[in-house]
Amino acid sequence: MIGILITGATGNVGGELIKIFSREAVGGAVAAVSNFAKDANRFPADIERREFDFTRPETFAAAMRGVDKVFLMRPPAISNVRRDIFPFLAYCRRANVKKIVLLSLLGAEKLWFTPHRKIELEILRLGLPYTFLRSSFFMQNLSTTHRDEIKNESEIFVPAGKGKTSFVDARDVAEVAFFSLFGAEHSNKAYQLTGNADLSYYEVAEILSRALGKHISYRDPSLASFIWRTWRSHRNLPFALVTAIIYTTARLGRAGLVTGDLGKILRRQPTSFQEFAKDYKECWL
Ligand SMILES: NC(=O)c1ccc[n+]([C@@H]2O[C@H](COP(=O)([O-])OP(=O)(O)OC[C@H]3O[C@@H](n4cnc5c(N)ncnc54)[C@H](OP(=O)(O)O)[C@@H]3O)[C@@H](O)[C@H]2O)c1
């Protein structure tokens, strides 16, 4: 049986991809987890779990046993991809991996300085067969990173101004990843995955207010107060700075591109923000 290593198996897209393999009863999926002792009961019983850490090459061989396809995501905390991701790509080349489906970033082809573009270029240089999933901002950021402020303060606190974002549902991205792992037609392609609408955070707050039956307001803080508050709650300055840059991109009107790639691949409309809000309602109540 063909094995498929799913990195980021506890994360937004990897976690949803694991659920699809289990739901569709497609064998061969291997959940890569960086801490084997943790998360033992996190996955469905039919999903094999193996220890894997990009920064510990000694974990590669056992994790890759029998594997010939990889769903690859760059952990958000890894910024030095030459040091921390390239060794795994070289390993994939040596192991004759037949396909890498990479979770990338919308517009990565123009963003040469991003870790995502550097990984794309290394995959091309190594001649590994690929599909690049250049994804817009996930709706799930509102149910994870921003969950507490929505739940406890009834507000969204990001410095995006009136700028619009083409939010995409991570579940849709996982579905595209699933098809990309199998369909030959997706080989050596790059997709721009977005939702079906560009929304400002004022509109997002309105949609959430309706779904939750309580008023959620959008506060548009200054960059300085956003960075201060993010640093205070995460104690991680690079994280605070990177998220500030992401929201500034939205503020400047550079995050609103809506494409039809996702709908074409899935042969249906992308999940709307309204549907997402309904499905995740419980996490904010
Ligand atoms: N969030 C967005 O809106 C968005 C949009 C487009 C693209 N992206 C890109 O998508 C990628 C994932 O972002 P995300 O926010 O959705 O994060 P995520 O998948 O929720 O988060 C982290 C994952 O990274 C894994 N991980 C952490 N350190 C690791 C290591 N050293 N070795 C192996 N796995 C490790 C974690 O696994 P363990 O639990 O096993 O440690 C976890 O599954 C990033 O590259 C991001 O830039 C994100």
Side-chain angles (χ1 to χ4, degrees):
M1 183 184 293
I2 295 166
I4 300 163
L5 189 76
I6 300 178
T7 65
T10 62
N12 281 320
V13 177
E16 293 300 330
L17 186 52
I18 292 280
K19 285 187 204 160
I20 297 174
F21 272 92
S22 183
R23 192 173 67 225
E24 301 295 321
V26 174
V30 174
V33 291
S34 65
N35 182 344
F36 193 78
K38 226 177 78 202
D39 305 320
N41 302 315
R42 189 172 184 137
F43 300 104
D46 55 329
I47 300 291
E48 186 184 342
R49 198 166 49 97
R50 293 185 189 167
E51 179 139 330
F52 170 83
D53 189 326
F54 286 107
T55 64
R56 287 190 288 129
E58 64 274 20
T59 62
F60 297 171
M64 290 289 284
R65 198 173 3 95
V67 163
D68 70 355
K69 294 181 180 178
V70 174
F71 170 74
L72 183 76
M73 56 76 66
R74 174 210 57 117
I78 289 184
S79 50
N80 186 343
V81 294
R82 179 175 293 279
R83 186 190 64 201
D84 294 332
I85 302 284
F86 285 13
F88 179 62
L89 295 178
Y91 187 94
C92 288
R93 175 70 284 173
R94 289 196 299 279
N96 205 17
V97 163
K98 303 271 184 303
K99 180 73 163 285
I100 294 204
V101 174
L102 171 72
L103 179 56
S104 186
L105 195 64
L106 190 64
E109 68 282 6
K110 288 173 275 173
L111 305 171
W112 56 269
F113 51 87
T114 59
H116 311 80
R117 183 59 182 158
K118 289 175 188 166
I119 295 171
E120 287 188 2
L121 289 173
E122 183 66 1
I123 289 173
L124 294 172
R125 192 187 70 79
L126 290 168
L128 284 159
Y130 67 89
T131 310
F132 296 154
L133 308 183
R134 294 181 180 147
S135 303
S136 186
F137 198 77
F138 301 149
M139 295 174 186
Q140 278 75 4
N141 294 319
L142 278 302
S143 58
T144 55
T145 315
H146 298 289
R147 186 191 83 130
D148 287 355
E149 72 204 30
I150 295 170
K151 182 177 167 149
N152 303 332
E153 326 282 337
S154 297
E155 69 175 22
I156 306 171
F157 189 87
V158 298
K162 294 189 175 117
K164 298 207 171 205
T165 299
S166 55
F167 295 93
V168 68
D169 192 312
R171 295 171 297 181
D172 288 350
V173 177
E175 220 173 306
V176 175
F178 182 75
F179 288 124
S180 302
L181 283 164
F182 296 106
E185 70 275 24
H186 301 300
S187 275
N188 301 337
K189 297 261 173 66
Y191 297 123
Q192 308 195 80
L193 303 179
T194 75
N196 58 1
D198 57 335
L199 299 170
S200 71
Y201 282 90
Y202 291 102
E203 292 168 304
V204 166
E206 257 177 57
I207 296 169
L208 287 176
S209 300
R210 254 178 271 129
L212 304 185
K214 66 173 187 176
H215 183 67
I216 306 294
S217 58
Y218 170 47
R219 271 181 65 195
D220 179 20
S222 69
L223 258 189
S225 55
F226 175 78
I227 291 170
W228 165 244
R229 183 156 138 174
T230 310
W231 177 80
R232 221 181 39 195
S233 48
H234 295 268
R235 299 280 154 180
N236 181 337
L237 189 59
F239 175 77
L241 294 174
V242 168
T243 45
I245 291 169
I246 289 170
Y247 292 119
T248 303
T249 308
R251 175 182 284 278
L252 297 173
R254 303 264 170 80
L257 175 73
V258 173
T259 74
D261 283 9
L262 197 143
K264 270 188 221 137
I265 297 162
L266 300 185
R267 294 168 198 251
R268 63 165 172 81
Q269 280 292 309
T271 304
S272 68
F273 204 97
Q274 286 81 352
E275 289 169 289
F276 160 76
K278 198 164 129 254
D279 293 348
Y280 283 73
K281 186 175 164 177
E282 294 308 319
C283 84
W284 297 294
L285 290 173

